[in-house]
Amino acid sequence: MNPRTIEYFIYLGNVVIAILIGLALGALIIWMGGYDPIEAYIGLFETSFNLQDPYYISSTLSYATPIILTGLTFAISARAGIFNIGAEGQLYMGALGAVLIAAFNPPPLIALPLALITGLLMGALWGLIAGLFRALRNVNEVVVTIMLNWIAFWIVEYARTYGLGDPRRQEKTISMPPSARLPLLVKGTELSTAFIIAILVAILIYFVMWRSKIGYYIRVLGAGVKSAKYAGINPTKTTLYVFIIGGALSGLAGALEICGRPPTYAITTGASNIAGFGFTGISVSLLGLNHPLLIIPAAIIIGGLTAGARGMQIRAKVPLEMVMAVQGLIIIALSVPGLTFLYRRWKIKKALRGGEHA
């Protein structure tokens, strides 16, 4: 068995251990709160990974859909040595783009593709803004993307309140018309063809990253700016590619949520129905080792935690705040093996580059 395969098996074992640690810590919190952790976890798994009931597994896959795409946003940036945490804001702008198309009420034939393309482009534009600051002025991308996340949030809230609000229901924007909604994969659930689109995009990004010139440029940039220049690659242009592609992916995630998630097909007050998917994508990417194909199962695992929250509340009467705390603990525990794995890899590559230099 080759060393890389062994390394992945060790990583898989660490993930299992991390899950057990996260569940144990969560159980301790639930028990200290006066609730039954066993009943809580039975409720969690019954309403997330229950293959006997299509509704629950569909719910898990529907929650996995946007975080596959936001996970890809972070993964591409990480491969380039960039810490882009702007997927949240880019997703907001993508969702807003879809709602804008609904407001213009285009012909039914082009409504859906136009909504998805507009969302994708608005996310790419929002990513480009951060990219320009990083590439041209060397401004730290963490600071810029955090600021842009909040700017995007308030733009969306302003639009919902003063321009795009549903006149009959002020707690949300206008809804996507039926002609611009994605068909459901399982009737009576929230799972639409958005999930298939996300899977296809993840496969496409895999080929882009490992079978295209742009992907090669991005990975070389991750080895360092000096390495990129030595290879004849323009770091400024490549950095912009990273932010544009990442923004487009998160923008598409936002548009898919609006066009593919019933019952509202809209943005609700405080962006509550789309909030958090961008940040959760970071954990998904770390768990999936910043690899486009591994991000898919990672997103399904974390999507299951989100889908199972209702089961914990209903079966064990655990308060929502405590459920979210437990979810957070498990997600953090799941992120640790990926983070340490990637850090160890980075240290080895750095040592090898130093050896070559010497």
Side-chain angles (χ1 to χ4, degrees), residues 152-237:
F153 172 81
W154 289 112
I155 288 174
V156 168
E157 271 296 273
Y158 183 88
R160 181 192 62 80
T161 307
Y162 295 106
L164 299 174
D166 187 331
R168 294 166 298 179
R169 294 178 58 187
Q170 279 300 308
E171 79 280 4
K172 70 178 188 68
T173 63
I174 54 175
S175 296
M176 298 303 296
S179 60
R181 297 175 185 177
L182 289 162
L184 296 177
L185 290 177
V186 181
K187 200 170 183 181
T189 72
E190 297 177 345
L191 182 63
S192 71
T193 49
F195 179 70
I196 294 174
I197 294 171
I199 297 293
L200 293 175
V201 169
I203 295 169
L204 175 63
I205 293 299
Y206 168 76
F207 283 103
V208 168
M209 291 299 292
W210 275 275
R211 297 290 187 273
S212 76
K213 190 186 291 185
I214 291 176
Y216 171 73
Y217 288 173
I218 290 170
R219 288 184 289 116
V220 173
L221 180 62
V225 175
K226 288 183 180 178
S227 300
K229 287 180 177 178
Y230 184 78
I233 296 167
N234 185 328
T236 301
K237 285 176 68 175

Side-chain angles (χ1 to χ4, degrees), residues 26 40 51 56 63 122 149 175 177 198 216 222 226 275 290 333:
L51 298 177
Y56 294 127
Y63 281 116
M122 285 186 67
N149 285 343
S175 296
Y216 171 73
K226 288 183 180 178
N290 296 331

Side-chain angles (χ1 to χ4, degrees), residues 7-275:
E7 192 178 22
Y8 279 116
F9 271 114
I10 292 170
Y11 170 69
L12 188 60
N14 289 337
V15 168
V16 172
I17 293 168
I19 291 172
L20 294 175
I21 291 172
L23 291 172
L25 291 173
L28 182 62
I29 288 177
I30 294 168
W31 177 75
M32 289 175 65
Y35 302 95
D36 186 342
I38 295 174
E39 284 293 307
Y41 284 142
I42 289 173
L44 170 68
F45 290 108
E46 276 187 347
T47 56
S48 56
F49 300 107
N50 186 350
L51 298 177
Q52 295 178 340
D53 192 326
Y55 178 83
Y56 294 127
I57 193 65
S58 295
S59 184
T60 291
L61 297 180
S62 73
Y63 281 116
T65 300
I67 56 179
I68 288 173
L69 296 170
T70 57
L72 290 170
T73 295
F74 184 81
I76 290 171
S77 302
R79 291 281 176 180
I82 296 168
F83 198 75
N84 175 12
I85 57 173
E88 186 82 357
Q90 292 148 19
L91 182 143
Y92 291 157
M93 296 308 287
L96 180 62
V99 173
L100 281 170
I101 295 303
F104 285 110
N105 196 24
L109 194 63
I110 63 169
L112 178 58
L114 197 57
L116 297 181
I117 291 168
T118 303
L120 184 148
L121 291 175
M122 285 186 67
L125 177 62
W126 209 247
L128 176 61
I129 295 170
L132 289 171
F133 277 101
R134 165 65 190 252
L136 303 182
R137 305 302 300 173
N138 200 29
V139 179
N140 187 287
E141 67 274 11
V142 174
V143 176
V144 175
T145 50
I146 287 174
M147 293 173 68
L148 286 172
N149 285 343
W150 280 107
I151 293 169
F153 172 81
W154 289 112
I155 288 174
V156 168
E157 271 296 273
Y158 183 88
R160 181 192 62 80
T161 307
Y162 295 106
L164 299 174
D166 187 331
R168 294 166 298 179
R169 294 178 58 187
Q170 279 300 308
E171 79 280 4
K172 70 178 188 68
T173 63
I174 54 175
S175 296
M176 298 303 296
S179 60
R181 297 175 185 177
L182 289 162
L184 296 177
L185 290 177
V186 181
K187 200 170 183 181
T189 72
E190 297 177 345
L191 182 63
S192 71
T193 49
F195 179 70
I196 294 174
I197 294 171
I199 297 293
L200 293 175
V201 169
I203 295 169
L204 175 63
I205 293 299
Y206 168 76
F207 283 103
V208 168
M209 291 299 292
W210 275 275
R211 297 290 187 273
S212 76
K213 190 186 291 185
I214 291 176
Y216 171 73
Y217 288 173
I218 290 170
R219 288 184 289 116
V220 173
L221 180 62
V225 175
K226 288 183 180 178
S227 300
K229 287 180 177 178
Y230 184 78
I233 296 167
N234 185 328
T236 301
K237 285 176 68 175
T238 306
T239 298
L240 292 177
Y241 290 151
V242 169
F243 279 97
I244 291 169
I245 295 170
L249 292 169
S250 289
L252 178 61
L256 289 173
E257 280 297 288
I258 302 307
C259 296
R261 186 181 292 276
T264 58
Y265 293 101
I267 304 173
T268 56
T269 302
S272 57
N273 62 326
I274 55 174

